[in-house]
Structures are given as C-alpha cells and as structure tokens.
Amino acid sequence: MKKKKEKSKTDSIGCLAMFGALEPQTEVREVVDSLVNRLRTLSRKSNGQFVAVDLRLDILEKKGCHKNSGSKSCYGPQDIAQFLRKIGYDKDTTVYVTESKWDSSLDSLKDFFPKTYTKESIMPMDKKDKFLASETSEYEKVIDYYICSESDVFVPAISGLFYANVAGKRISTGKTQILVPASIPGSSASSGDFITHYVSKKNHFAYSCFC
C-alpha cells in the first residue's frame, strides 16, 4: 500500500486487478445490491444516502478499544456517534455497521442515530442461513467490502487492511468521501478536515491507475 516514487506498467495492471476488474460471484453481487438498495430506501429523508462504518466488535475488543475509548487505531460505537454528530450528521442519517448482528454495545450509536443497521437487520430472510450462518465469515467480509465501497461515505473505525482495501476500491470509482475518526474537542468541525490521507495526499496504491 506504500506509494512508489515511480509508476510502472506492472503497478497499473496490479491496481486494475485489485480494484477494477474483480467482481464477486453473481449470488453475492445480488445480495450486496439488495442490501445497498434497502439502505437507500431507508435513507429517503437524506436523499438515499447512507454512511458505512467498519465497526467490528471482536476487533475492537482485541485492540482494547472498549477499555481505551478513542485510541488512535480504533474507535468504539459511542466515539463514532459523537464524531458523526460533531461533523454535521443528524438523527435522520442512515448508518450501516459491519458488525453482522446487533449487540447491546451498539446501542450508544443507535441512541444518536436511530437508523443504524447491521447485515442481519436488513438481509432477506431466505439469504441469512447461507450468508450469516456459515462456519466461516468470508461471505460477511465480502459483503462488507462491497457495501463499504459503494456507500456515500465510509468511516473506518478500525485501521488496517480492510480500511486500505476499501479505500482503494473507492478511489478507483471516484468515491473519495472517506472520513477517518478523531476526537473533536469542540462542539463541531468540518468533515473535510477528516478526509483520509489516502485521498488528501494521494498516497494509496490505487492512484497508480490514474496518475
């Protein structure tokens, strides 16, 4: 993910393979489309726009975010709620979180944003057994990747490879509204101040496709 000083033909081909040419299986694509459409339908008051937040409780627990709220590498549900409110999002904002099923720790986010949803809450019943009850979480990861790539705004509560991969996909499609959370001491701030460095500094590998 580190930007090289000079772009080679191999870089461009690799970028296109990673962020442009690869598509999920047809059934997975159909599920992603149905979830995105559902989220846009639920977002009528905000012109069909929604925010996707990579907020996985098991990862937060491993990183100690529940104990150290607002650390530099990850942010908990309440941190995200306060961040979104302070940069101007109101209670009608639709929020999708990558945690697959509802957990009581997400209540603090839902208190601020009542229209907060997980995969379980919006996935068609006939798809849940295959995509949410499988022995592995691979389907869930793929679904999250595409929903976070196609949302109007992406907020990575957790730093890491998933964030970098989603950022690359979004950059390749021109969806550069990627806001990195931070503690905001005052009552408000501009969302533009929190655009990811991948976009503001154009230091993501995906830019080798365009530069």
Side-chain angles (χ1 to χ4, degrees), residues 43-205:
S43 308
R44 285 189 294 267
K45 290 187 177 180
S46 54
N47 297 318
Q49 299 188 338
F50 70 95
V51 177
V53 181
D54 179 27
L55 202 163
R56 290 163 286 160
L57 299 176
D58 59 332
I59 304 298
L60 293 176
E61 189 68 36
K62 289 177 182 177
K63 288 178 174 284
C65 291
H66 291 308
K67 297 178 181 179
N68 183 22
S69 180
S71 68
K72 289 184 179 181
S73 62
C74 51
Y75 293 82
Q78 186 169 358
D79 301 316
I80 294 298
Q82 293 174 344
F83 171 72
L84 291 175
R85 283 292 296 271
K86 286 186 177 183
I87 61 174
Y89 289 94
D90 62 29
K91 64 182 180 61
D92 288 325
T93 301
T94 297
V95 178
Y96 171 81
V97 294
T98 54
E99 180 67 22
S100 292
K101 300 180 180 179
W102 194 261
D103 184 272
S104 59
S105 63
L106 295 172
D107 290 347
S108 57
L109 177 58
K110 198 175 184 69
D111 287 342
F112 281 94
F113 301 99
K115 296 163 69 174
T116 296
Y117 303 98
T118 62
K119 283 182 286 300
E120 183 183 49
S121 62
I122 59 174
M123 184 175 288
M125 287 294 297
D126 63 338
K127 301 295 183 182
K128 288 184 179 181
D129 283 346
K130 178 171 183 176
F131 293 101
L132 294 183
S134 62
E135 294 182 358
T136 69
S137 59
E138 292 308 308
Y139 278 130
E140 296 169 41
K141 292 176 183 177
V142 172
I143 290 169
D144 285 333
Y145 171 75
Y146 282 99
I147 292 179
C148 290
S149 297
E150 295 174 21
S151 62
D152 298 281
V153 178
F154 172 54
V155 177
I158 307 162
S159 63
L161 189 58
F162 182 85
Y163 159 37
N165 286 339
V166 170
K169 181 68 173 177
R170 292 182 68 93
I171 289 167
S172 73
T173 58
K175 290 181 173 291
T176 55
Q177 279 294 97
I178 307 168
L179 307 180
V180 179
S183 299
I184 302 174
S187 59
S188 64
S190 169
S191 62
D193 294 336
F194 302 96
I195 293 290
T196 175
H197 65 88
Y198 286 136
V199 172
S200 62
K201 296 183 179 180
K202 295 188 176 182
N203 61 359
H204 194 286
F205 176 57

